[in-house]
Amino acid sequence: MKFTRLRIVGFKTFVEPSEFLIEPGLTGVIGPNGCGKSNLVEALRWVMGESSHKSMRASGMDDVIFSGSGGRAGRSHAEVTLALDNSARTAPAAFNAADALEVSRRIDRGAGSTYRVNGREVRARDVQLMFADAATGARSPAMVRQGQVAELIAAKPQARRRILEDAAGIGGLHARRHEAELRLRAAEDNLARVEDVLTAITAGVDSLRRQARSAQRYRAIAAEIRRHEALLLLIGHTNARREVMAAQGALAQALDRLAAAQAEQVESATAQGLAAAALPRLREAQAIAAEELQRLTLAAAQLEAQERRSVERLRDLGRRIADLRRDLAREAASRDDARTTLERLDGEAAALSDAEEGQAAREEADALAAAADARLAAAETALSAAQGAQAEDAARRATLVRAAADERARAGRLAAEQARLAREASAAGGGETERLAALREAYDEAKEAAEGAEAEASAARDAVAEAREAEARGRPVLAAAEREAARLDTEARTLARLVAPAAEARFPPVLDALAVAPGYEAALAAALGDDLEAATDPEAPTHWALTPDPGTDPALPDGARPLATLVSGAPALARRLRQVGVVAQDEAVALRARLQPGQRLVTQRGDLFRWDGFTAAAEAPRPAARRLSERNRLETLHEAAALAREQAETARETYEALQARAREAAAAELRAVEGARLARRTLDGARETLTHAERREAEAAARRAALAEARDRVAADAEEAAARPRRRRRRWPPSTSPRT
């Protein structure tokens, strides 16, 4: 077997479904510390059957479920699926029918783990043995973890033996031997417990024999107790009749008091009617008075509010008068200040008028000096301009001579550049357009195929989840049906052992041969009593003999049903049973007076009425009645057990159908996932090819645009170079500057 794929969902840091393909050759996972490399190894060990949470670096097995982070909610379950290639048919016989095996382990928070192989639920031991047969497993030395090399160096002989067993491929045999030893020890313990149970049952049988003897003594004492109880009942009946007569007298007195109370009640009802008639007028007067009181209350409240507003208004007016008085005083002070300021400003204006006459003469002299300075600056500027114009003309002549030579050389270079750009533009043609369109069409087809495959894979996953959910729902139904069938079978076997005739009895009692209708066991036990313990074998000291019916036996009274119609299995008892009638409890006393000698009546619950007046009330269940009831219940249990077995078989067939459906869904999921993987691979190849072609097309388009831009730029430069000499010739006459 070879590992081909590992799928992880919700296990530790792998919150989203993650799939790892294990290709032929060497497959490695590279990453920094903390990226989850160790979690991959632990996922492999976990799906192989690791049962120790400490080996998973956790405080409990539920800790392997992703518990959430700052931005992600926790998960309620985790699942790891390992796909195996079994084309060499090296798996155990139970799983060796398929070319591919898919081993999955799922854990629900607080519910434990479940293992599945190709969708079928298996035991953890089956998974461990399957990997042990392949010389690997959760604790195999082939699974090298951190620090294991040092452990192997310092290993004890037992650990080295485990390594050699795994290398030799007999690890599975060692595990099976250990399991067989455990089962043998468990079988030995069960045998010891069975011996203890047999010893306890033997002691119980002895106790039952003692109880049977005690029951015989109990029947004798119970008959005496019933006689005394009958006397007590007669005395109680007499006392009860006296109490009934006294109660009847008290009832008559109570009826008289009731009549008087009824007359008083009629008078009270009349007074109540009169009071009810006067009540509307009183209520109307009360309503009018309440309205007047409400109106006066509102008027008083309005007057109080108006008084409060008047007092507040007087306070506001007093404050405004005081504010106005303060404002008048402030305005008077401001007026005095303004008068003082006006007087001061008049004095300053007179002083300024005297000083203005000397200032005018100074300003005239300053204006003449400024005009002379301006004429001097203009003359200096004209001289500098004339000298600069002469130097500029000389420099321009030299520049024009050099520019003419440069323009001729530049025109040659531009012509060569134009020719080169034309050649490159013709070489960078658009031959890739058709190929690019074909690649885009192929990419679209691959994308549609990949989306379809992903949809099929998603539908297959949903189908697998639905099938597994249906299987999970069917499992408790099957378990309940099997438990019920096993319980009924166990109860039937136990009851069969209890009611089975004693093997050591030489003369079995007639009770063992009788079959009575359900519900009439107590009636038969009351009718025959200890006679049921007699045998039918003529050699027995006490037995029932089969005698011919002379046809002269009297008939039972009308309304009595012969007990012989309800009992079968012993012809020797037929004559006796025809003289026993089954009647209702309330008819027994009336029919007893019509009994003939030898006849008797019984009720369904076990009351006995004999022709000679002997009466026996129903007591605690008799052993014979209890034995007959248990035999009838045994038949009912056999029928219920057969029905339960049929239901369990139906539930098993349904569950197996659900399992087959789950396996088919898992196989379909594998095919859909494989198809999706191939479609994704095809899509990735088409995307890569299209991206490469688009990149080449973009580079070619950019090259063509660059060539077109360069061609336009070279043409513009050529035109500019041709026009520049003409512009220079138009500007050639030198500018003349005024000379001073």
Side-chain angles (χ1 to χ4, degrees):
M1 294 187 295
K2 298 180 181 179
F3 297 169
T4 59
R5 178 170 56 89
L6 178 66
R7 188 171 185 268
I8 305 175
V9 180
F11 183 85
K12 289 199 172 182
T13 57
F14 295 94
V15 58
E16 296 294 338
S18 302
E19 190 171 298
F20 301 91
L21 297 178
I22 305 174
E23 302 290 350
L26 183 62
T27 300
V29 178
I30 301 174
N33 291 337
C35 69
K37 300 187 297 298
S38 299
N39 292 343
L40 288 176
V41 179
E42 291 179 356
L44 280 172
R45 296 176 59 204
W46 188 68
V47 77
M48 288 182 184
E50 179 59 58
S51 59
S52 173
H53 60 83
K54 294 181 180 178
S55 299
M56 294 287 102
R57 299 181 298 170
S59 58
M61 194 55 77
D62 285 350
D63 290 347
V64 303
I65 304 173
F66 178 72
S67 59
S69 61
R72 299 294 297 271
R75 299 291 294 268
S76 61
H77 68 276
E79 185 173 4
V80 177
T81 303
L82 181 62
L84 306 174
D85 182 7
N86 190 35
S87 58
R89 292 295 193 275
T90 57
F95 314 113
N96 207 24
D99 292 336
L101 299 178
E102 188 175 84
V103 182
S104 65
R105 180 179 182 181
R106 178 188 175 99
I107 181 171
D108 293 297
R109 195 176 298 279
S113 300
T114 57
Y115 292 85
R116 294 179 185 275
V117 177
N118 285 351
R120 181 166 62 91
E121 186 170 343
V122 297
R123 303 177 305 167
R125 190 64 180 169
D126 297 334
V127 174
Q128 293 169 358
L129 288 176
M130 181 177 68
F131 286 109
D133 289 340
T136 183
R139 300 186 180 181
S140 172
M143 297 286 292
V144 180
R145 63 181 184 275
Q146 189 176 14
Q148 188 173 359
V149 176
E151 293 179 5
L152 293 176
I153 294 173
K156 295 181 179 180
Q158 293 83 354
R160 293 196 184 98
R161 178 182 178 182
R162 173 68 186 280
I163 297 171
L164 295 176
E165 288 176 350
D166 286 344
I170 61 173
L173 298 177
H174 180 74
R176 285 186 174 84
R177 186 189 68 181
H178 179 66
E179 184 176 4
E181 291 175 352
L182 293 178
R183 289 180 179 177
L184 287 174
R185 284 196 292 270
E188 292 174 356
D189 295 339
N190 291 335
L191 289 174
R193 285 196 293 272
V194 167
E195 292 177 356
D196 295 339
V197 171
L198 290 176
T199 303
I201 290 175
T202 303
V205 170
D206 297 338
S207 176
L208 289 175
R209 289 196 180 97
R210 291 192 298 271
Q211 292 177 10
R213 291 192 293 270
S214 299
Q216 292 175 356
R217 291 194 301 271
Y218 167 78
R219 283 197 295 269
I221 297 172
E224 187 69 19
I225 292 174
R226 283 196 299 274
R227 187 175 66 80
H228 291 292
E229 286 179 346
L231 293 175
L232 289 175
L233 290 174
L234 179 60
I235 295 171
H237 178 67
T238 304
N239 295 333
R241 291 187 63 183
R242 294 195 191 98
E243 292 176 358
V244 167
M245 294 178 63
Q248 289 177 349
L251 176 62
Q253 296 176 0
L255 290 174
D256 294 338
R257 291 195 298 272
L258 177 62
Q262 288 177 347
E264 293 178 358
Q265 191 269 339
V266 170
E267 294 177 357
S268 300
T270 303
Q272 181 182 6
L274 296 175
L279 184 61
R281 294 193 299 274
L282 296 175
R283 286 180 176 173
E284 184 177 358
Q286 181 184 6
I288 294 171
E291 291 178 357
E292 184 65 21
L293 176 61
Q294 182 69 17
R295 186 180 62 78
L296 294 176
T297 302
L298 293 175
Q302 291 175 356
L303 291 174
E304 290 177 356
Q306 185 176 1
E307 181 182 3
R308 287 194 298 272
R309 287 194 299 271
S310 299
V311 172
E312 188 66 27
R313 178 66 175 167
L314 289 175
R315 291 197 190 97
D316 292 341
L317 291 175
R319 286 193 296 271
R320 291 185 63 185
I321 290 171
D323 293 339
L324 290 173
R325 287 175 179 172
R326 286 193 296 272
D327 292 342
L328 287 174
R330 188 168 56 254
E331 292 297 331
S334 299
R335 184 185 57 190
D336 295 339
D337 292 340
R339 288 176 180 174
T340 304
T341 303
L342 286 174
E343 292 176 356
R344 181 174 54 79
L345 291 175
D346 290 340
E348 291 178 357
L352 288 173
S353 61
D354 294 338
E356 284 180 357
E357 296 178 358
Q359 183 68 25
R362 285 195 298 272
E363 289 178 356
E364 183 178 358
D366 292 339
L368 293 174
D373 291 337
R375 287 193 298 274
L376 178 60
E380 291 177 352
T381 300
L383 177 60
S384 298
Q387 292 175 350
Q390 183 180 4
E392 184 180 354
D393 290 341
R396 185 180 297 171
R397 289 189 186 92
T399 300
L400 290 174
V401 172
R402 289 194 302 270
D406 293 339
E407 291 300 333
R408 287 191 296 272
R410 182 184 176 121
R413 288 195 303 272
L414 291 176
E417 184 69 16
Q418 284 180 338
R420 182 181 65 79
L421 293 176
R423 290 192 302 271
E424 291 183 358
S426 62
E432 293 289 332
T433 305
E434 296 180 357
R435 183 170 178 269
L436 186 61
L439 290 176
R440 285 198 178 96
E441 184 177 356
Y443 172 73
D444 294 337
E445 293 176 356
K447 184 177 181 181
E448 292 178 0
E451 291 176 354
E454 288 291 344
E456 291 179 0
S458 178
R461 292 191 186 96
D462 295 339
V464 169
E466 182 180 356
R468 287 179 177 174
E469 184 178 357
E471 181 185 358
R473 289 195 302 269
R475 190 185 305 112
V477 176
L478 174 60
E482 289 179 345
R483 284 197 302 271
E484 181 66 15
R487 183 185 68 80
L488 292 174
D489 284 337
T490 303
E491 187 175 357
R493 287 195 301 269
T494 303
L495 193 57
R497 287 196 298 269
L498 292 176
V499 302
E504 67 275 5
R506 181 181 177 186
F507 303 110
V510 70
L511 176 63
D512 295 337
L514 292 177
V516 61
Y520 292 91
E521 298 88 354
L524 178 60
L528 298 182
D530 293 338
D531 294 342
L532 291 172
E533 299 295 331
T536 57
D537 191 347
E539 297 181 0
T542 303
H543 66 274
W544 286 91
L546 182 61
T547 59
D549 185 1
T552 59
D553 293 338
L556 291 171
D558 294 338
R561 181 181 181 184
L563 186 59
T565 60
L566 302 171
V567 180
S568 62
L573 295 179
R575 190 177 180 187
R576 171 75 174 271
L577 295 175
R578 283 196 295 270
Q579 296 299 311
V580 178
V582 181
V583 297
Q585 181 71 28
D586 53 353
E587 298 176 355
V589 177
L591 293 177
R592 181 175 57 182
R594 297 162 54 186
L595 293 176
Q596 298 296 325
Q599 294 180 341
R600 60 187 65 189
L601 299 175
V602 292
T603 62
Q604 189 172 357
R605 69 188 187 95
D607 299 313
L608 174 64
F609 302 90
R610 212 161 60 189
W611 62 277
D612 55 0
F614 178 77
T615 302
E619 56 181 17
R622 297 177 175 87
R626 186 162 53 245
R627 186 178 181 83
L628 292 170
S629 298
E630 290 173 351
R631 286 170 55 185
N632 287 337
R633 172 159 174 75
L634 179 60
E635 295 179 0
T636 304
L637 283 176
H638 283 313
E639 296 176 358
L643 179 60
R645 283 193 296 272
E646 292 178 0
Q647 293 176 350
E649 186 63 27
T650 303
R652 179 176 297 281
E653 292 176 357
T654 303
Y655 181 67
E656 290 177 353
L658 292 174
Q659 283 185 326
R661 178 185 169 191
R663 288 194 296 270
E664 292 175 359
E669 182 191 13
L670 286 175
R671 292 193 297 270
V673 170
E674 184 65 21
R677 185 176 66 82
L678 295 177
R680 286 196 301 271
R681 183 177 297 175
T682 303
L683 178 61
D684 293 340
R687 183 187 295 112
E688 184 177 357
T689 304
L690 178 60
T691 302
H692 186 62
E694 287 179 344
R695 187 181 302 113
R696 289 201 307 271
E697 176 63 21
E699 291 175 356
R703 179 63 177 166
R704 288 193 297 271
L707 290 174
E709 183 180 356
R711 198 165 50 246
D712 295 340
R713 188 176 62 254
V714 169
D717 290 343
E719 292 178 0
E720 178 67 20
R724 193 176 292 117
R726 293 192 296 270
R727 288 198 299 271
R728 288 198 184 95
R729 282 193 294 272
R730 284 196 298 268
R731 293 198 307 268
W732 171 246
S735 60
T736 58
S737 300
R739 299 180 182 273
T740 306

